[in-house]
Amino acid sequence: IYDSEQSNQDEEERRLFIAEGTEPVRLMIQRCHFTSNDDEEASSISASTQSTSGTSIPTVKLLSILSKPAAFFEPPVCLLHDIENSNRVNLTNLSENSSPHSLFAGRVKTIPPFKIIIGSEEALTEIVGFPVARGAMACGVVPSCMRDNAFTWLKKLILKKTASEIVNDNATKGDGGIQVQNSSRNSPIENIASSPLVMQRSAKTTRPKRIVALDAVCNTANMGSILRTAAALSIDAIILSDDSCDAWYRQSVRVSMGHVVSVPSMRVGDWERGLDAQGCGGEKSIIDTTAVKKNADDSQIRGLPRLIRWLRREMNVECFAAVVDDDASSDVTSCNRNSNCDSSSKTTSTKLFPPLVTLESLSQPSNGSIRGNTRSWCCVLGNEGHGISDEVIQECDNRIRIGMAKGVDSLSLPVAAGILMHGLVQLE
């Protein structure tokens, strides 16, 4: 859905979304950027909330809410109560002719910056053009910042450190580093960073960054279910291949229970444009991959494989490709990433794939457990029918599969995604 309304002489179309159901609408209200400015950039990075990792989550600009009277006024839903609690409108943003409607007089500071329509089910059905069975609906603008700043945002997410990590780094630096003095007269920044409250909060957020990448996931219900699970497990970012469905589709937003606003999602193409804008297609690697790069031509790789390669080589993110088959049932040969083999070394008869692991094997100390490791990770999930493309698998550090009883060959994508995400979180 597009909004052709011009804003500040900007003729670019704004993508709109629809949220159905009282709980998704409630979450949209709570995450809404309460401003009367019609500019699309009201949903910019500057207007954001904080995720569990301390990174910015773009807020949402709502345009309108349609609700049945009971859902708006009466408990247990009472959307009016959420509007009251979320009312952060600055009085200076209102025009001189604005006056509080009697509905909000004495309850909120100013009129909410979106239209509110309350009516019977029949009236709402006539307005939207299809049966409205749920108690409320909302329409808003899809945040544009994840489209325009995907590369910068993802890089900052991975490199971001908490206050406790900064203090620890400064305390261990040698010449040229900032030393934390053993003095009762520390600087204000040192006092704040080392205070018990900040250290306690930082300890809770000192963890690897959690990323989920989706390769050609086309079912919008599956997309919404993955988004909801990702929000529950504090996933920091969802990366969508360009042939995946849109996370802001109506069914996806509904199935996610509105949590599409809780987990930032971005397209590979948007990330790639930001990377190309750097001039050289990437920055200096923070790990030694000389042996691997001898057999790879980065200029020939595009899309999700390129992003996975960037995560591994430039950002030191451990990447797992979720697969169903084991080596015994497929024509693959495992290739350890520490060796000199790469995707260009594959033959016509055998596919060179990274090693196959399971959640159980990763938890065994003898098999190189990642438990307690602070290295960030990315779990790649594939299409509902044919899985992950070979090109993406070959760029990952490991293939990962879920051990299942005999006679059960696979799980649905949302179920498998939940098991893998939970398992990798537990291994941190």
Side-chain angles (χ1 to χ4, degrees):
I1 303 177
Y2 293 90
D3 178 17
S4 59
E5 176 185 352
Q6 293 185 7
S7 176
N8 292 341
Q9 299 181 347
D10 185 1
E11 297 182 357
E12 292 186 3
E13 294 177 322
R14 298 186 297 176
R15 296 180 57 235
L16 305 183
F17 69 87
I18 293 176
E20 299 175 274
T22 55
E23 290 308 311
V25 172
R26 183 200 303 278
L27 188 57
M28 295 294 175
I29 293 173
Q30 294 172 354
R31 297 294 175 85
C32 175
H33 179 50
F34 271 55
T35 176
S36 59
N37 186 3
D38 288 334
D39 189 2
E40 178 183 8
E41 295 308 315
S43 299
S44 65
I45 292 179
S46 60
S48 59
T49 56
Q50 294 296 312
S51 69
T52 55
S53 63
T55 55
S56 298
I57 298 178
T59 54
V60 174
K61 178 183 178 182
L62 286 181
L63 300 179
S64 60
I65 291 178
L66 286 76
S67 176
K68 298 178 183 178
F72 194 82
F73 293 107
E74 301 175 7
V77 179
C78 193
L79 296 176
L80 177 58
H81 180 69
D82 293 283
I83 294 176
E84 292 173 354
N85 292 338
S86 301
N87 183 38
R88 302 184 299 266
V89 183
N90 190 332
L91 291 173
T92 59
N93 289 333
L94 295 177
S95 64
E96 295 180 357
N97 297 327
S98 297
S99 60
H101 191 277
S102 58
L103 173 66
F104 301 101
R107 301 177 66 101
V108 297
K109 296 179 181 179
T110 58
I111 299 175
F114 45 79
K115 299 177 181 178
I116 299 176
I117 301 174
I118 301 173
S120 64
E121 181 174 331
E122 293 75 15
L124 299 183
T125 296
E126 185 175 352
I127 292 174
V128 301
F130 58 84
V132 178
R134 295 171 176 82
M137 296 181 62
C139 177
V141 180
V142 176
S144 63
C145 60
M146 299 307 296
R147 181 179 71 243
D148 302 332
N149 303 282
F151 172 77
T152 301
W153 186 92
L154 184 59
K155 180 180 176 183
K156 288 182 178 180
L157 165 73
I158 299 171
L159 297 180
K160 185 178 180 64
K161 292 185 177 182
T162 63
S164 62
E165 290 177 302
I166 295 174
V167 170
N168 291 336
D169 288 349
N170 291 340
T172 57
K173 282 182 180 179
D175 295 339
I178 302 175
Q179 301 292 332
V180 178
Q181 303 294 334
N182 294 324
S183 171
S184 59
R185 299 179 60 85
N186 290 337
S187 68
I189 294 180
E190 291 170 352
N191 289 331
I192 294 174
S194 59
S195 66
L197 180 59
V198 171
M199 295 296 286
Q200 181 181 3
R201 291 178 177 175
S202 299
K204 294 180 180 179
T205 59
T206 303
R207 60 165 177 78
K209 301 305 184 293
R210 305 163 181 169
I211 303 171
V212 171
L214 303 181
D215 185 15
V217 173
C218 302
N219 187 291
T220 53
N222 287 346
M223 177 70 71
S225 183
I226 292 172
L227 287 167
R228 185 179 181 184
T229 304
L233 295 173
S234 300
I235 301 302
D236 297 301
I238 299 287
I239 298 172
L240 308 176
S241 64
D242 290 336
D243 52 355
S244 290
C245 64
D246 197 331
W248 291 89
Y249 278 160
R250 175 181 157 194
Q251 186 180 37
S252 175
V253 175
R254 183 178 72 247
V255 176
S256 75
M257 295 297 288
H259 283 290
V260 64
V261 303
S262 302
V263 185
S265 61
M266 67 183 66
R267 288 281 181 186
V268 171
D270 297 330
W271 169 88
E272 203 162 30
R273 282 191 293 274
L275 179 65
D276 292 337
Q278 302 300 307
C280 58
E283 300 182 0
K284 185 178 179 181
S285 176
I286 61 175
I287 57 176
D288 184 11
T289 57
T290 305
V292 178
K293 288 186 176 181
K294 289 181 179 179
N295 296 322
D297 185 1
D298 288 341
S299 64
Q300 300 300 317
I301 184 173
R302 306 292 295 181
L304 186 56
R306 184 185 185 189
L307 189 148
I308 297 300
R309 180 177 293 187
W310 176 81
L311 287 175
R312 284 197 306 110
R313 297 182 179 180
E314 309 295 338
M315 297 290 104
N316 194 29
V317 174
E318 188 168 12
C319 297
F320 298 89
V323 298
V324 175
D325 299 327
D326 55 23
D327 290 344
S329 59
S330 57
D331 57 338
V332 302
T333 298
S334 295
C335 173
N336 192 302
R337 283 301 179 191
N338 293 326
S339 63
N340 291 336
C341 57
D342 208 314
S343 57
S344 60
S345 303
K346 64 181 180 180
T347 64
T348 57
S349 59
T350 304
K351 301 173 185 177
L352 292 178
F353 282 168
L356 180 67
V357 298
T358 64
L359 293 172
E360 293 78 9
S361 65
L362 289 175
S363 64
Q364 301 298 322
S366 59
N367 292 336
S369 172
I370 65 172
R371 185 179 296 277
N373 187 14
T374 58
R375 185 180 180 187
S376 298
W377 54 265
C378 173
C379 182
V380 186
L381 302 163
N383 177 270
E384 295 85 352
H386 54 73
I388 306 174
S389 65
D390 291 351
E391 292 77 12
V392 173
I393 294 177
Q394 290 166 346
E395 293 299 332
C396 293
D397 295 284
N398 294 287
R399 290 170 296 145
I400 188 168
R401 68 185 299 269
I402 300 171
M404 292 177 284
K406 292 183 178 180
V408 181
D409 58 353
S410 64
L411 296 169
S412 67
L413 178 59
V415 172
I419 293 173
L420 290 173
M421 284 188 280
H422 181 266
L424 291 173
V425 167
Q426 293 300 306
L427 288 172
E428 294 175 358

